[in-house]
Amino acid sequence: MSAILKVADGQVIVMEYTLRVEGEIIDASTDHGPIEFIQSVGNIIPGLEQALYGMTVGESKEVVVTAGDGYGEMDSLAYMEVPRDQFPEDIPMETGTQIELHNEAGQPMVARIDQVGETSVRLDFNHPLAGKELHFAIKIAGLRPATEQELDHGHVHSGHEH
Ligand code: ZN
């Protein structure tokens, strides 16, 4: 086995990265360690996944991902007006405050306060990075084939089974 492992479908990738949006670093693996994911199962945004094919361990790359291939465009319908008195008192009524709530099916959703009015609050359900062009500096730090169980589950098992 002397073949050099390259990024391909079903590989577990360990990746170091820095993400810049509008020139500002908003996330970096130096803060929390590299991320591990399975290529081709949608663990990461499609624009980044596409750029990784064929890369080898130790290789670095700059990748620009458009909003459409990243966290999506801003959806003008993803806003909701909620009466102010429906919010618990301990939630700061400020633009940008993140709020967790549940939809009618009981699934958790995250929204941000977009506007605070006299009697109502406008919530924004767009992803915080929707509509943004993403500038990644990435480095492949590790590569291995995913196990059958990992492919079955659609996520990486690093030391813990579930
Ligand atoms: Zn699992």
Side-chain angles (χ1 to χ4, degrees):
M1 290 283 285
S2 59
I4 295 171
L5 215 48
K6 290 185 176 178
V7 172
D9 292 347
Q11 298 266 349
V12 171
I13 301 173
V14 183
M15 188 177 80
E16 298 169 5
Y17 70 98
T18 302
L19 170 58
R20 284 185 180 80
V21 172
E22 289 154 10
E24 207 176 311
I25 295 176
I26 60 160
D27 191 16
S29 56
T30 46
D31 289 341
H32 47 70
I35 54 166
E36 260 187 293
F37 57 92
I38 303 174
Q39 177 76 355
S40 77
V41 302
N43 285 169
I44 61 167
I45 54 173
L48 190 52
E49 198 170 67
Q50 282 306 318
L52 301 180
Y53 283 105
M55 290 184 74
T56 56
V57 173
E59 202 176 339
S60 304
K61 201 176 198 178
E62 306 265 336
V63 183
V64 178
V65 178
T66 61
D69 286 330
Y71 292 95
E73 303 291 349
M74 288 293 278
D75 180 356
S76 60
L77 298 178
Y79 293 90
M80 192 170 75
E81 294 280 343
V82 180
R84 235 183 125 136
D85 58 17
Q86 286 193 11
F87 290 86
E89 277 181 19
D90 58 341
I91 291 179
M93 287 290 111
E94 290 163 12
T95 301
T97 299
Q98 196 162 300
I99 291 180
E100 282 181 47
L101 57 176
H102 295 265
N103 67 8
E104 282 164 7
Q107 289 163 324
M109 299 180 78
V110 175
R112 281 161 300 138
I113 293 181
D114 181 57
Q115 262 176 31
V116 181
E118 291 272 313
T119 57
S120 71
V121 173
R122 187 163 79 158
L123 294 180
D124 178 1
F125 286 88
N126 283 294
H127 188 282
L129 293 176
K132 307 283 190 194
E133 188 177 75
L134 312 170
H135 293 250
F136 287 95
I138 59 159
K139 184 181 178 187
I140 305 297
L143 269 180
R144 66 170 170 84
T147 65
E148 248 174 68
Q149 199 190 32
E150 285 174 325
L151 288 172
D152 202 37
H153 289 198
H155 56 231
V156 175
H157 292 164
S158 39
H160 56 275
E161 300 302 315
H162 57 152

